[in-house]
Amino acid sequence: MSVYGPVVKIHPVVLASIGDSYERRNEGASRVIGTLLGTIDKHSVEVTNCFSVPHNESEDEVAVDMEFAKNMYDLHKRVSPSEVIVGWYATGFEITEHSVLIHEYYSREATNPIHLTMDTALQSGKMNIRAYVSAQMGVPGKTVGVMFTPLSVKYKYYDTERIGVDLLQRTRDAPNTTNGLTSDLCQVGGAAGRVQDMLATVLTYIEDVLSGKQMADNSVGRYLMDLVNKVPKITAEDFETMLNSNINDLLMVTYLSNLTQAQIALNEKIVVL
């Protein structure tokens, strides 16, 4: 739980990138580190991207390729100018003495950077993900130390990232199985099914409140009223026409895509001949 500082919102692509960099680490390396990129507002830090940074560490010293980190950040700024350095990450379960030295470097690159740890070794039986912010401590005029304070961590994803998350969820209970991406039409059907299930849950709640089986919750009522107000006023016939038109557009795009792929494959075979 957070006792001080902003809420850290992490996107799935960041976790996947950290896990991939750990799997590709140099032989003999115990952990990997990297730079976190994202956006900052008054109450939260949203981590949307990251990249690994080469480093070497032993029991006595740590060396970080700062020039590589700077060049990578400059390249990222050309692609995503809105993403800034918000902190750094390290794989492992705990904060080491070397973490303090690395954090000092990132403190020069960002204001009050966060430190993210990801337990890729599953020491606690699961992949714990924690975020910290540093604060100086000590007596004035004396040696000053650094204390890492934990922050609240939440997970956030874009609609495009949801596709990958759902795909990973299918293999959670059967890791040895192979699943591929579903077609666009299947995704539309799955989304419609989820909406139908949520509407059924809402209707069940409303019926239980009206019948007196469940106490009414004012906050839920406000959410439902806001939901109803967002629904556009449209007749069933117009809605069906609009839906059919969008489906036809989707089918046409899918058909043209498959036709293009077939033409490319045919062209490659003709060139070979």
Side-chain angles (χ1 to χ4, degrees):
M1 294 296 293
S2 171
V3 295
Y4 168 79
V7 176
V8 180
K9 301 177 181 179
I10 306 176
H11 284 252
V13 67
V14 176
L15 304 179
S17 179
I18 296 175
D20 181 68
S21 63
Y22 179 77
E23 290 295 326
R24 298 172 182 269
R25 70 190 185 280
N26 295 330
E27 184 177 358
S30 59
R31 68 171 184 168
V32 295
I33 67 171
T35 302
L36 297 175
L37 303 174
T39 56
I40 304 173
D41 58 28
K42 294 182 179 179
H43 305 291
S44 65
V45 176
E46 186 170 344
V47 185
T48 55
N49 208 341
C50 69
F51 60 85
S52 61
V53 177
H55 85 294
N56 293 312
E57 60 181 319
S58 60
E59 296 182 358
D60 301 327
E61 60 181 3
V62 58
V64 181
D65 193 343
M66 298 179 181
E67 188 65 23
F68 177 88
K70 182 178 182 301
N71 293 335
M72 283 294 294
Y73 177 55
D74 291 339
L75 293 175
H76 272 273
K77 283 199 300 184
R78 297 181 183 180
V79 179
S80 302
S82 60
E83 292 182 343
V84 298
I85 297 178
V86 297
W88 66 288
Y89 72 82
T91 57
F93 185 71
E94 58 185 8
I95 297 176
T96 64
E97 295 180 357
H98 295 161
S99 299
V100 178
L101 300 176
I102 300 173
H103 199 78
E104 289 181 359
Y105 161 71
Y106 281 95
S107 296
R108 298 192 295 269
E109 300 294 326
T111 303
N112 201 19
I114 63 171
H115 175 36
L116 184 72
T117 61
M118 182 172 170
D119 182 17
T120 51
L122 307 179
Q123 297 183 16
S124 60
K126 61 180 180 179
M127 189 176 291
N128 280 326
I129 300 169
R130 299 179 180 179
Y132 303 88
V133 66
S134 66
Q136 292 186 344
M137 57 179 297
V139 180
K142 301 293 182 179
T143 302
V144 178
V146 176
M147 178 180 64
F148 284 89
T149 305
L151 301 173
S152 295
V153 176
K154 295 183 178 180
Y155 304 102
K156 184 178 180 180
Y157 52 81
Y158 299 124
D159 292 338
T160 51
E161 293 176 320
R162 175 64 183 268
I163 299 174
V165 174
D166 291 342
L167 185 61
L168 292 175
Q169 287 288 343
R170 298 177 194 169
T171 59
R172 182 179 59 180
D173 298 328
N176 296 326
T177 60
T178 301
N179 284 290
L181 292 174
T182 58
S183 63
D184 294 339
L185 189 59
C186 292
Q187 293 178 17
V188 172
R194 288 192 295 270
V195 172
Q196 188 175 7
D197 293 339
M198 288 186 287
L199 289 176
T201 302
V202 171
L203 290 175
T204 302
Y205 169 79
I206 295 175
E207 291 174 357
D208 291 343
V209 171
L210 293 177
S211 62
K213 296 179 180 180
Q214 187 173 348
M215 292 292 296
D217 189 334
N218 293 333
S219 60
V220 175
R222 286 191 290 269
Y223 282 125
L224 292 177
M225 181 59 67
D226 183 59
L227 176 63
V228 172
N229 292 333
K230 289 182 179 179
V231 176
K233 295 181 179 179
I234 185 173
T235 62
E237 292 77 11
D238 292 339
F239 178 79
E240 184 177 358
T241 302
M242 180 181 65
L243 180 62
N244 291 333
S245 176
N246 290 332
I247 291 178
N248 289 334
D249 292 341
L250 177 61
L251 293 176
M252 178 60 68
V253 171
T254 303
Y255 170 74
L256 293 176
S257 176
N258 293 334
L259 182 61
T260 303
Q261 292 178 359
Q263 289 180 343
I264 293 175
L266 181 61
N267 182 63
E268 291 178 350
K269 292 183 179 180
I270 293 177
V271 170
V272 172
L273 296 176

